[in-house]
Amino acid sequence: MGVGLAAAIGATPALAHAKRSPVRPEDEKFMRLAIDEAAKGDFPFGAVIVHDGKVFSTGRNLGVTNNDPTAHGEMVAIRRFVADNPAKDLKGATLYTSGEPCPMCMGAIVWCGMGRVVFAASIEQLAKRLGQIMITSRAVAEAAPFLTVEITGGVLAPEALALFDKK
């Protein structure tokens, strides 16, 4: 039932929880890997998918290389993982990304059932460098009534933003 129909009949739509999560000891280590991926991308965006302390997959922006505007770092990391593994194995994983996920990427993260997103630069910070759809990862997560996603932002943001000066 859509939110519009639910509201029309007086039902209260269920909202997921986008839970702010504190920085954890391992976050800088995995964010550095995401930033290393970003440095190799067509645009400076990189991602690393981690589960139980193990790197499952990596990705970098390949939009120009692949002539694919959906080839964001997060999408490339997800596609690489599911090329050889069941998508269900992404449930509960953490995705580290050099830039806060756009709505497309955050939607994919939600559909994969990942439990946590850790980003460096926020959409607001990124918008000062290049065009952004101004919808936060939190807003996307809160619109999904079936999943709670922990979100941690700002991890090594200055390092991620510095990559824009090198491109």
Side-chain angles (χ1 to χ4, degrees):
M1 176 182 318
V3 172
L5 180 58
I9 62 172
T12 304
L15 292 178
H17 304 283
K19 183 176 161 189
R20 287 204 177 137
S21 175
V23 175
R24 297 179 186 169
E26 67 273 17
D27 288 347
E28 283 194 17
K29 169 186 162 185
F30 292 120
M31 185 58 71
R32 289 197 191 287
L33 296 175
I35 291 171
D36 288 347
E37 282 295 312
K40 301 176 221 169
D42 295 341
F43 293 93
F45 295 100
V48 176
I49 299 172
V50 175
H51 203 303
D52 294 327
K54 180 182 172 208
V55 174
F56 268 18
S57 183
T58 63
R60 67 185 73 115
N61 182 291
L62 295 174
V64 175
T65 300
N66 293 354
N67 190 35
D68 178 358
T70 69
H72 294 191
E74 301 94 331
M75 300 298 287
V76 170
I78 291 167
R79 289 175 184 151
R80 284 183 176 163
F81 180 81
V82 299
D84 297 318
N85 302 280
K88 68 178 178 61
D89 289 351
L90 289 170
K91 291 196 184 319
T94 298
L95 187 136
Y96 291 86
T97 179
S98 60
E100 183 173 3
C102 73
M104 173 187 69
C105 292
M106 192 61 192
I109 291 163
V110 167
W111 286 121
C112 290
M114 292 190 208
R116 185 166 182 248
V117 172
V118 181
F119 63 85
S122 69
I123 285 180
E124 185 176 309
Q125 291 171 309
L126 294 168
K128 294 175 183 169
R129 307 287 179 127
L130 75 164
Q132 290 292 303
I133 298 171
M134 300 302 290
I135 300 173
T136 65
S137 55
R138 181 178 181 85
V140 174
E142 286 178 346
F146 51 85
L147 182 69
T148 297
V149 180
E150 293 183 32
I151 299 173
T152 304
V155 177
L156 301 179
E159 286 92 333
L161 289 166
L163 293 176
F164 285 90
D165 299 330
K166 297 176 183 176
K167 288 285 178 177

